């Protein structure tokens, strides 16, 4: 029984570190191992694929008062990492180039933009995108991310998949409400109204090139009407 428990703890730590590498770096091996074990005991795996275990880590961190007080940004970092993990394991989808002709043929109220599977938006009172990017890619630097953390710079982060690569970047104030509206399933017209400062034509070109937007669809008439 002791051997089984020991093996289970090691498996929990390895599986969780695979989905939360930045959280593991922030906490250190010993503390992260203890967190993984406590999560395993409170929320044991409910399915056979251990790689899909760990979705409750952010809420679990918030329930640990000492950890939440000492590392108040940690739960949001974990949320962002789980979104990245979800994007990495999302179903594949191909770009529908022909569907972009609808942008010239239909009114925005009748259209929706088709985002890539796994796309997500994470809002935070902390610079979560900077923290994750600094630890994973070194840009911004750890020093710059630390400065933003001390200044309590709030960031909204966009997660998507570019081909097979999960990506993350911060959202500016003009783009954030637009992305939130699209993720909510609103029409293109509703999303544009939510973000009047967004340069849509410039945004769309970059979004298509990066793999965020895969095509356009005709929405059912009246769905956005109260």
């Amino acid at each position: 029984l002791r051997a089984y428990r020991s093996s289970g703890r090691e498996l929990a730590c390895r599986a969780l570190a695979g989905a939360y590498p930045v959280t593991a770096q922030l906490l250190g091996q010993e503390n992260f191992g203890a967190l993984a074990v406590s999560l395993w005991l409170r929320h044991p795996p409910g399915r056979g694929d251990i790689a899909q275990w760990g979705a409750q880590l952010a809420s679990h961190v918030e329930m640990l008062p000492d950890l939440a007080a000492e590392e108040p940004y940690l739960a949001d970092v974990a949320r962002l990492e789980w979104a990245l993990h979800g994007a990495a394991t999302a179903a594949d989808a191909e770009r529908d180039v022909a569907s972009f002709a609808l942008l010239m043929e239909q009114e925005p109220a009748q259209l929706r933009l088709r985002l890539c599977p796994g796309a997500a938006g994470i809002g935070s009172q902390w610079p979560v995108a900077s923290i994750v990017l600094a630890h994973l890619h070194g840009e911004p630097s750890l020093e710059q991310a630390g400065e933003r953390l001390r200044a309590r710079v709030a960031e909204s982060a966009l997660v998507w998949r570019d081909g097979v690569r999960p990506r993350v970047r911060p959202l500016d104030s003009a783009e954030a409400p637009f992305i939130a509206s699209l993720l909510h399933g609103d029409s293109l017209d509703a999303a544009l109204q939510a973000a009047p400062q967004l340069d849509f034509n410039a945004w769309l070109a970059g979004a298509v090139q990066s793999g965020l937007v895969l095509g356009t669809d005709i929405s059912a008439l009246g769905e956005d009407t109260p």
Side-chain angles (χ1 to χ4, degrees):
L1 182 59
R2 284 195 298 269
Y4 176 80
R5 288 174 176 168
S6 177
S7 177
R9 292 189 181 102
E10 293 178 3
L11 178 61
C13 188
R14 288 199 304 270
L16 209 63
Y20 297 97
V22 176
T23 303
Q25 291 178 39
L26 291 170
L27 287 176
Q29 183 176 359
E30 183 176 350
N31 290 333
F32 185 76
L35 180 63
V37 171
S38 68
L39 181 68
W40 184 281
L41 294 175
R42 189 172 186 87
H43 300 284
R47 54 195 298 185
D49 185 1
I50 192 64
Q52 298 303 316
W53 170 72
Q56 302 90 350
L57 183 63
S59 59
H60 185 63
V61 167
E62 291 175 328
M63 293 179 61
L64 302 174
D66 291 341
L67 183 56
E70 185 175 347
E71 311 275 1
Y73 53 88
L74 194 64
D76 285 349
V77 170
R79 287 190 179 90
L80 180 51
E81 288 203 273
W82 188 254
L84 279 167
H85 184 65
T89 56
D92 294 331
E94 295 184 358
R95 186 178 301 167
D96 184 2
V97 177
S99 70
F100 289 111
L102 293 171
L103 292 169
M104 304 298 294
E105 300 169 356
Q106 302 290 336
E107 294 296 325
Q110 299 176 8
L111 296 176
R112 284 189 173 90
L113 294 185
R114 191 187 315 159
L115 302 182
C116 67
I122 305 294
S124 176
Q125 297 179 352
W126 304 95
V128 288
S130 295
I131 292 171
V132 169
L133 286 168
H135 281 268
L136 293 181
H137 306 298
E139 181 59 40
S141 67
L142 290 174
E143 291 77 13
Q144 290 171 321
E147 291 174 359
R148 294 175 189 177
L149 180 60
R150 288 188 290 274
R152 295 196 62 166
V153 176
E155 286 182 352
S156 293
L158 172 66
V159 171
W160 80 103
R161 195 167 77 183
D162 183 0
V164 297
R165 296 182 304 164
R167 302 280 298 275
V168 58
R169 65 173 175 82
L171 290 168
D172 61 35
S173 58
E175 186 183 7
F178 182 74
I179 292 294
S181 185
L182 294 180
L183 290 170
H184 187 260
D186 295 338
S187 70
L188 176 57
D189 182 60
L192 290 171
Q193 291 186 41
Q197 297 180 345
L198 180 72
D199 184 343
F200 174 68
N201 291 329
W203 177 89
L204 182 63
V208 173
Q209 185 177 15
S210 68
L212 172 61
V213 174
L214 300 181
T216 60
D217 296 307
I218 297 179
S219 63
L221 294 177
E223 284 189 7
D224 295 314
T225 304

